């Protein structure tokens, strides 16, 4: 596991910087997220230990490693958001992958879902390069930020409801901080959709009741801010053809268009 402040390129804790406070409970997350600036939020997320099952899992994966990455030191910590702090487009995924972001320390980096997502972001003009392999590979997002609804890799990609709720104040605070510039929220899958709607409602955006339902290509106008649905680029969706590259490009291209990027 990467020690905070040890100089890893994904680490929001700079070498020599005082260690950020670490949440040990859901109440601790809520307290530390409230009033945090974006740099503080990133640093506090990266040392969070509020969910015992997820802390145990992310660190076990980091110790045991996949054979093909045996020579790499895994990140093994929660994964903060990536990209423009004044983003007009926010992309909300589910959670870090065990051998992707939990290894590299950067969201959607080092796995097939990330390859799919960043290739599409690049094709529609929202990323400077089509690949996302490791934390210092030169990737730059254009007017865009990418976050996970739950910040730690969960077993079988399935956080519990309790873990989802414990983590919610991180994304809620992030959405609140981004709101002044935000024009579009792209939700990858129903989990991201629900997290985005909850966070937007928490930030004071008028969300209709009953809440709009997720679907690929669904577009909802929320007082000048647009919510877009996109199937999650998981292998389950991309291998089966449920999500194709043109389908992904259509949604992300629409986001770029709406955000005038
Ligand atoms: Fe903290 Fe969220 Fe990870 Fe739970 S899932 S330990 S709340 S960062």
């Amino acid at each position: 596991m990467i020690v905070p402040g040890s100089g890893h390129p994904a680490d929001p804790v700079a070498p020599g910087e005082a260690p950020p406070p670490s949440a040990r409970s859901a109440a601790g997350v809520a307290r530390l997220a409230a009033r945090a600036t974006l740099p503080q939020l990133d640093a506090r997320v990266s040392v969070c230990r509020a969910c015992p099952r997820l802390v145990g899992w992310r660190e076990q994966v980091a110790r045991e490693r996949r054979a093909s990455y045996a020579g790499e030191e895994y990140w093994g910590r929660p994964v903060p958001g990536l990209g423009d702090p004044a983003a007009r487009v926010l992309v909300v995924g589910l959670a870090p992958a065990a051998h992707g972001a939990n290894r590299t320390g950067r969201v959607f980096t080092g796995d097939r879902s990330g390859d799919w997502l960043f290739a599409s972001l690049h094709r529609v003009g929202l990323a400077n390069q089509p690949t996302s392999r490791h934390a210092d590979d030169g990737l730059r997002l254009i007017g865009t930020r990418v976050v996970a609804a739950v910040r730690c890799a969960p077993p079988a990609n399935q956080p519990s409801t309790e873990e989802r709720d414990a983590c919610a104040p991180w994304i809620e605070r992030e959405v609140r901080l981004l709101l002044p510039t935000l024009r579009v929220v792209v939700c990858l899958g129903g989990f991201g959709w629900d997290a985005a709607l909850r966070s937007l409602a928490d930030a004071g955006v008028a969300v209709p009741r009953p809440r709009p339902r997720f679907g690929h290509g669904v577009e909802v106008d929320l007082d000048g801010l647009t919510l877009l649905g996109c199937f999650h680029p998981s292998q389950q969706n991309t291998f089966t053809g449920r999500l194709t590259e043109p389908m992904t490009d259509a949604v992300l291209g629409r986001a770029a268009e709406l955000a005038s990027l």
Side-chain angles (χ1 to χ4, degrees):
M1 187 186 109
I2 300 292
V3 175
S6 58
H8 187 282
D11 201 342
V13 184
E17 193 180 309
S22 170
R24 305 285 167 146
S25 64
V29 174
R31 183 172 51 81
L32 291 175
R35 291 185 293 280
T37 63
L38 198 52
Q40 284 172 335
L41 192 81
D42 288 345
R44 292 173 183 188
V45 163
S46 79
V47 297
C48 181
R49 304 185 68 81
C51 305
R53 185 182 79 115
L54 298 190
V55 172
W57 173 252
R58 77 191 191 208
E59 294 183 358
Q60 181 188 332
V61 170
R63 274 192 310 276
E64 294 176 353
R65 306 173 197 187
R66 180 175 278 171
S68 47
Y69 304 124
E72 280 187 44
E73 189 165 7
Y74 274 47
W75 174 254
R77 290 163 50 195
V79 178
L82 166 72
D84 192 340
R88 286 193 243 172
V89 175
L90 178 67
V91 179
V92 181
L94 196 171
H99 301 279
N102 189 55
R103 174 174 58 89
T104 63
R106 201 173 68 183
V107 69
F108 277 107
T109 296
D111 61 20
R112 291 214 171 98
S113 298
D115 291 346
W116 187 278
L117 176 66
F118 287 108
S120 180
L121 286 170
H122 179 253
R123 286 193 295 270
V124 305
L126 297 180
N128 70 326
Q129 62 184 44
T131 56
S132 178
R133 302 255 156 78
H134 51 84
D136 59 355
D137 61 6
L139 175 69
R140 193 169 48 80
L141 300 184
I142 297 159
T144 300
R145 193 164 171 90
V146 179
V147 301
V150 168
R151 305 297 168 101
C152 291
N157 287 324
Q158 284 185 336
S160 68
T161 304
E162 191 183 21
E163 289 157 353
R164 179 202 70 185
D165 291 348
C167 207
W170 295 134
I171 189 172
E172 288 170 2
R173 180 63 184 164
E174 195 153 353
V175 165
R176 195 175 278 261
L177 288 165
L178 294 171
L179 203 55
T181 55
L182 212 51
R183 296 291 171 270
V184 184
V185 182
V186 179
C187 308
L188 303 178
F191 196 95
W193 179 267
D194 291 342
L197 278 173
R198 273 196 306 274
S199 302
L200 289 165
D202 178 77
V205 174
V207 171
R209 290 261 172 201
R211 288 192 173 165
R213 287 170 64 93
F214 171 78
H216 182 86
V218 169
E219 187 171 325
V220 178
D221 179 45
L222 301 169
D223 265 347
L225 193 153
T226 305
L227 199 68
L228 292 177
C230 181
F231 289 146
H232 197 286
S234 58
Q235 289 187 51
Q236 200 182 1
N237 284 335
T238 55
F239 276 14
T240 57
R242 185 172 185 240
L243 179 65
T244 63
E245 289 182 350
M247 286 168 70
T248 315
D249 292 359
V251 174
L252 293 176
R254 176 69 176 145
E257 177 192 348
L258 286 164
S260 307
L261 288 167

